[in-house]
Amino acid sequence: MRAVTWTGINQLSVEDVPEPQLLNDHDVILKVTRTTTCGSDLHLLSGYIPFMRAGDVIGHEFMGEVVEVGKGVRDRRVGDRVVVASFVSCGACWYCHHELYSLCDNSNPNPGITEGLWGQAIGGCLGYSHAVGGYAGSHAEYMRVPFADVGSFVVPDGVPDDRALFASDAASTAFTGVDLAGVQPGDTVAVWGAGAVGQMAARLSSIVGAERVFVVDRFPERLAQARTHAGAETIDYTTTDVAAELREHTGGRGPDVCIEAVGMEAHSPGPQGAYDAVKQQLRLQTDRPSAVREAIMACRKGGSVFTLGVFAAMVDKFPLGAVMNKGLTLRGAQVHGPRYIPRLLELMDRGELVTEHLATHVLPLEEAPRGYELFKEKADGCVRAVFTPHG
């Protein structure tokens, strides 16, 4: 079958790979109908997640049709149209029982890497390096889905593919942040990043009752989408002092909740941005934390800051004094997909959450390298490139 493989830093190839097989009783084989790029994939391409091997199939945000089921699968049938969570969860460990699915104790067969990085291993993630399991990813014609009863969800008949697709990771990641950050009715929320996750965080903040939502970015087409589809007020950080503008809009206090949806390759204008970029290239820090810094400084006293963007390890010049002295709650998480995907599909079915606009470029799988180039460079207004392995 055809699949998109990582062949080196900033190098992708579309090539023939072996078809997946059922390895465990709780697996299903999925015919992939939609799979999309994600900003975290760019960290793999750039070499900032140094646990890839040539030939690894990438991709972790997808949906498709079940074509084969293991004998232990209870709730999925051949022919089911499903969307799949990006993180693999067993459904039986302490963390899964507490709905902390991305922290699953039983889904990462390579726990030593993340134990060394972070003190404890997190769960496995499809198509996202050997640090989190070495699973084959979704940019392929077919793929194996482990623990399918836990991580796959039947899509309602009224939800089109290009809407359901984003429940897999972008919208569920956003809901993880909105929920765990504690967004409440009447809150003012600021979101850094107007990609798919940032737009979904803005929209979901409004759905749970936030009174005002601001989205911070620099790309006009993304800010326009945030205004049109998320109902957000927008700030171009290259033209203003973001923290000062947010205080102006909030009676001098600042937002109640600040959500960072950018991650380890954040852009920042001026000397600070250049400093972060040089230190990252020299591996004196693994991540560029400019958006997190700004969120911490902008947040009101006693407020909440949540990091949704992917970070790998260490950052420099982190304003821990501001976190402590302002009494902030600082949290982060990888996506707990099974906790949020069912509700997202309900919102999509009712038309309250619309995501089709995120799929700005729909391409055949053979054009995935071009799709990633558009996505990485944010060229031609690309927000997400979606691949259709079967046409």
Side-chain angles (χ1 to χ4, degrees):
M1 69 171 186
R2 303 294 280 171
V4 181
T5 63
W6 185 91
T7 55
I9 294 175
N10 292 321
Q11 296 179 35
L12 294 176
S13 176
V14 182
E15 57 190 31
D16 291 319
V17 301
E19 292 194 3
Q21 306 293 320
L22 296 173
L23 299 182
N24 297 297
D25 290 347
H26 298 284
D27 294 348
V28 303
I29 303 298
L30 201 72
K31 177 183 177 181
V32 179
T33 56
R34 294 285 191 282
T35 179
T36 182
T37 58
C38 175
S40 59
D41 292 326
L42 299 181
H43 311 325
L44 302 178
L45 292 180
S46 300
Y48 294 127
I49 308 292
F51 303 104
M52 296 291 290
R53 299 174 188 168
D56 285 346
V57 179
I58 66 169
H60 60 267
E61 189 166 356
F62 65 106
M63 63 175 298
E65 178 187 343
V66 176
V67 295
E68 189 176 356
V69 298
K71 62 183 180 181
V73 175
R74 304 180 308 275
D75 300 328
R76 299 293 166 261
R77 302 289 183 269
V78 171
D80 282 350
R81 184 172 66 116
V82 298
V83 64
V84 181
S86 55
F87 268 79
V88 182
S89 309
C90 73
C93 69
W94 186 92
Y95 290 97
C96 289
H97 283 166
H98 287 79
E99 296 190 305
L100 302 172
Y101 292 99
S102 65
L103 305 179
C104 176
D105 265 339
N106 298 318
S107 63
N108 186 353
N110 301 326
I113 296 173
T114 50
E115 284 174 355
L117 280 172
W118 306 320
Q120 291 178 293
I122 65 169
C125 182
L126 298 166
Y128 206 75
S129 90
H130 294 267
V132 282
Y135 292 98
S138 63
H139 293 350
E141 293 178 309
Y142 296 90
M143 72 172 297
R144 180 177 73 96
V145 178
F147 299 114
D149 284 327
V150 181
S152 66
F153 302 86
V154 175
V155 177
D157 290 340
V159 179
D161 284 359
D162 285 336
R163 184 177 303 179
L165 168 63
F166 293 100
S168 170
D169 189 89
S172 50
T173 294
F175 217 162
T176 299
V178 169
D179 184 30
L180 299 186
V183 176
Q184 299 293 319
D187 276 352
T188 295
V189 177
V191 179
W192 274 255
V197 174
Q199 289 189 41
M200 290 296 97
R203 176 63 186 135
L204 288 163
S205 293
S206 295
I207 286 174
V208 302
E211 184 173 329
R212 297 183 76 180
V213 179
F214 296 87
V215 171
V216 182
D217 205 299
R218 64 186 169 117
F219 292 98
E221 60 276 7
R222 295 185 174 209
L223 293 171
Q225 283 195 347
R227 290 190 295 271
T228 301
H229 299 284
E233 302 173 63
T234 58
I235 297 174
D236 180 345
Y237 67 82
T238 65
T239 65
T240 188
D241 181 324
V242 173
E245 186 161 339
L246 288 169
R247 286 193 297 271
E248 182 178 341
H249 287 295
T250 55
R253 288 191 308 277
D256 303 291
V257 176
C258 292
I259 296 174
E260 189 276 348
V262 180
M264 64 187 291
E265 295 184 70
H267 169 269
S268 177
Q272 185 67 63
Y275 170 88
D276 279 330
V278 169
K279 291 207 72 171
Q280 187 180 44
Q281 291 298 318
L282 294 174
R283 300 304 190 261
L284 298 175
Q285 65 175 358
T286 58
D287 310 336
R288 301 199 298 262
S290 55
V292 177
R293 289 193 197 106
E294 192 166 73
I296 289 170
M297 301 307 288
C299 192
R300 72 159 170 83
K301 293 176 287 187
S304 173
V305 177
F306 200 93
T307 60
L308 274 181
V310 170
F311 288 86
M314 302 295 180
V315 300
D316 192 13
K317 302 293 188 294
F318 186 79
L320 186 58
V323 175
M324 181 269 171
N325 287 288
K326 290 172 65 177
L328 302 180
T329 298
L330 176 63
R331 296 190 69 177
Q334 291 279 12
V335 55
H336 301 310
R339 181 169 174 173
Y340 300 105
I341 291 174
R343 185 175 174 193
L344 289 168
L345 291 173
E346 292 175 2
L347 291 170
M348 290 174 171
D349 196 28
R350 296 199 299 264
E352 295 180 45
L353 185 67
V354 176
T355 63
E356 290 93 328
H357 65 281
L358 300 172
T360 54
H361 294 70
V362 180
L363 303 168
L365 192 67
E366 294 291 333
E367 295 188 37
R370 184 172 76 87
Y372 265 97
E373 186 65 25
L374 289 169
F375 180 56
K376 180 178 181 178
E377 300 301 328
K378 300 175 179 62
D380 192 34
C382 185
V383 175
R384 283 293 184 93
V386 173
F387 309 127
T388 56
H390 297 273

